[in-house]
Amino acid sequence: MFHPRRTLRALLPALAAGLALTALPAQSAHAASTLTNGGFEADGTGAATPGGWSEYGATAASYVESGGRGGGHRLSHWASSAYKVETYQYLSGLANGAYRLTAWVRSGGGQNAAYIALKNCGGAEQRTDLPVSAAGWIRIVVPVRVTNNQCTVSVTSDANAGNWINVDDLTLTQGTSGTAVKGADISSLAKSEARGGAYRTGSGTKGDALAILRSSGMNYARLKVWVDPADGYNDKAHVLAMAQRIKAQGMKLLVDFHYSDTWADPGAQSKPAPWAGHTYTQLKTDVYRHTYDVLSALKAQGTTADMVQVGNEINGGMLWSEGSTENWPQLAGLLNSGYDAVKAVDPATSVALHLAKGGDLAGTRWWFDNAVANGVKFDAIGLSYYGYWHGTLYDFQTTLDDAATRYGKPVFVAETAYPFRLDSEDAHENIIDLAGELVPGYPATPAGQTQWMKDVASIVEAVPNGRGLGVFYWEATWTAVPGNGWDPADPSSGNGWENQALFGYDDRALPAMSWFGHR
């Protein structure tokens, strides 16, 4: 646990709180070509200025104390009044090229800004914010390209009274990082538009939702497909039509097969009505034919799927009861039938298996261990991670990293979202509508929604060995439009999700779209 109190307060007199941080001196007394004392072990508890590092601003707020992640000590920023402080190290004599800074961090949140940066490296400064994590250490990375043989490693806090961060075990190595997928599920869009839904830029200009999302940096769209839905949407025909619009925007396409006529998730995996009563052998054929039918039609019109999910949140299996996890050999047969259909259409299309509960390490291991033991074929792992349901950011990082390493596959967030307000725009109660349901440190505001997405993306970016593919925001365009509610069989049903869309109640693009610009 953290100790939000400096161990030896009398080491340095406090400077004026709120001292502005300006440009660093050209060099410091600690210039070196390798990062020095990245674990903050050189001095012991109470060091006012860590060995190898320099400080600027309210220097009394930056110090070494006991309680390191790997060793015995850590860097902390904290003060009893508002403060701005930077702990930095200037490196010179670097070989030009790509570098990646890795740091382990914790933060109580509440700062105006708290981030790790690489700057003065010859190009644009690169920053990664510290996620809010009061107990578990989170690993973040910052990539940069050095072009002038020098670089400054910086830890900065612009904080309010009592705000704190811990930083430890920094390493600077050659290499890069980033995320290839900056996506969103937009399955609700066609029905929304048909019912009168409107979408606007941040400044209020009415436009095409896909174009607005693309201009913010979105590069991948996710579409669910149902077999015979009651409202006729999210079927093959609508997926084909939307795929043309997606590809016309230069985006890639993920097709999410639910193998149902309605929502499939850990609590419901009902068979489509046309498949009811079919034997297990018939169901394998159903899965193959349906998958092949949709994907071959997409390919025929020039909009080949780039990735496919065989099943949606299949923690308990799919096509119950035949495909339940109570019968792994049968579930494996159904999953492989879908995999084979995908590859028969286009071997280059990646096949993902998608579970919910992205912070459940034990559950994720149990599922994929069984899948591997039963010969299930897959190319990637997708996890839903909603922080208000699925554990802490620490739990999420632990599960994501473990899945990538244990199974040697790329991983991605298939679904996440966060509210920008709590009240409802329609008569239907929102899924998340109470302050007590929120993740600590992330308020239900446009800024809180933005920070959540940036921090989730940063955790995916930090997956070891470059196996973090990226993130899909769930239902970015599902605003409150009469007739476009939860139940495809009930036109009067409302939407419990409009406070988590990426368009506000005024239909304008929200600031959280900026996360699409993540590295």
Side-chain angles (χ1 to χ4, degrees), residues 3 55 161 189 213 275 343 471:
H3 300 284
E55 296 174 339
L189 179 58
L213 289 162
W275 305 357
K343 298 300 184 178
V471 182

Side-chain angles (χ1 to χ4, degrees), residues 108-450:
Q111 298 92 345
N112 300 314
Y115 57 88
I116 310 283
L118 292 173
K119 58 186 185 178
N120 306 323
C121 309
E125 176 179 339
Q126 297 294 318
R127 295 182 180 181
T128 301
D129 294 332
L130 272 64
V132 180
S133 179
W137 290 91
I138 300 289
R139 184 184 61 257
I140 59 174
V141 296
V142 190
V144 77
R145 180 160 290 279
V146 173
T147 59
N148 61 355
N149 302 113
Q150 63 185 24
C151 198
T152 300
V153 177
S154 169
V155 181
T156 297
S157 292
D158 177 357
N160 299 299
N163 292 163
W164 63 272
I165 66 169
N166 301 149
V167 178
D168 203 2
D169 297 335
L170 290 98
T171 56
L172 183 68
T173 58
Q174 291 186 315
T176 60
S177 70
T179 51
V181 175
K182 294 109 175 166
D185 192 304
I186 54 163
S187 298
S188 62
L189 179 58
K191 189 174 180 180
S192 174
E193 292 172 334
R195 298 293 186 274
Y199 299 90
R200 300 179 183 277
T201 64
S203 60
T205 303
K206 192 173 180 179
D208 175 67
L210 273 176
I212 294 169
L213 289 162
R214 184 72 183 98
S215 68
S216 297
M218 177 174 153
N219 66 4
Y220 224 123
R222 178 179 186 252
L223 296 175
K224 69 172 175 277
V225 57
W226 289 337
V227 177
D228 189 19
D231 61 0
Y233 286 89
N234 300 298
D235 62 356
K236 174 185 170 184
H238 282 90
V239 167
L240 287 169
M242 189 59 71
Q244 290 181 320
R245 293 174 58 186
I246 289 165
K247 293 284 188 169
Q249 290 290 340
M251 298 187 197
K252 291 187 175 182
L253 171 65
L254 166 58
V255 179
D256 173 17
F257 285 93
H258 283 228
Y259 302 112
S260 182
D261 293 336
T262 188
W263 303 101
D265 56 44
Q269 294 283 340
S270 57
K271 294 188 191 77
W275 305 357
H278 284 196
T279 65
Y280 167 66
T281 300
Q282 288 174 309
L283 289 171
K284 283 203 296 183
T285 302
D286 292 333
V287 168
Y288 188 98
R289 286 178 175 170
H290 172 59
T291 306
Y292 187 91
D293 180 50
V294 173
L295 297 179
S296 61
L298 283 166
K299 185 174 183 178
Q301 71 172 13
T303 59
T304 301
D306 299 282
M307 189 186 298
V308 167
Q309 281 179 221
V310 176
N312 187 79
E313 294 191 332
I314 50 177
N315 300 62
M318 66 184 197
L319 293 168
W320 289 345
S321 59
E322 286 80 0
S324 164
T325 50
E326 296 294 317
N327 191 331
W328 264 102
Q330 290 196 172
L331 173 57
L334 293 168
L335 293 172
N336 283 340
S337 187
Y339 179 96
D340 290 343
V342 175
K343 298 300 184 178
V345 174
D346 196 316
T349 299
S350 179
V351 177
L353 298 179
H354 170 211
L355 300 188
K357 304 180 182 178
D360 180 6
L361 174 62
T364 302
R365 274 187 176 180
W366 175 85
W367 199 96
F368 278 99
D369 281 358
N370 274 288
V372 170
N374 283 277
V376 176
K377 296 176 284 190
F378 61 99
D379 304 318
I381 294 172
L383 298 176
S384 293
Y385 176 62
Y386 297 100
Y388 36 75
W389 294 328
H390 296 156
T392 65
L393 288 169
Y394 170 81
D395 296 330
F396 166 54
Q397 181 166 77
T398 302
T399 305
L400 200 68
D401 289 357
D402 184 78
T405 302
R406 191 176 181 88
Y407 308 108
K409 303 288 187 181
V411 295
F412 65 97
V413 177
E415 298 180 15
T416 191
Y418 206 77
F420 59 90
R421 58 194 293 171
L422 292 174
D423 61 314
S424 182
E425 190 179 6
D426 62 15
H428 191 82
E429 181 181 1
N430 287 337
I431 299 295
I432 300 298
D433 63 351
L434 300 173
E437 296 172 318
L438 299 172
V439 179
Y442 297 90
T445 61
Q449 182 189 46
T450 302

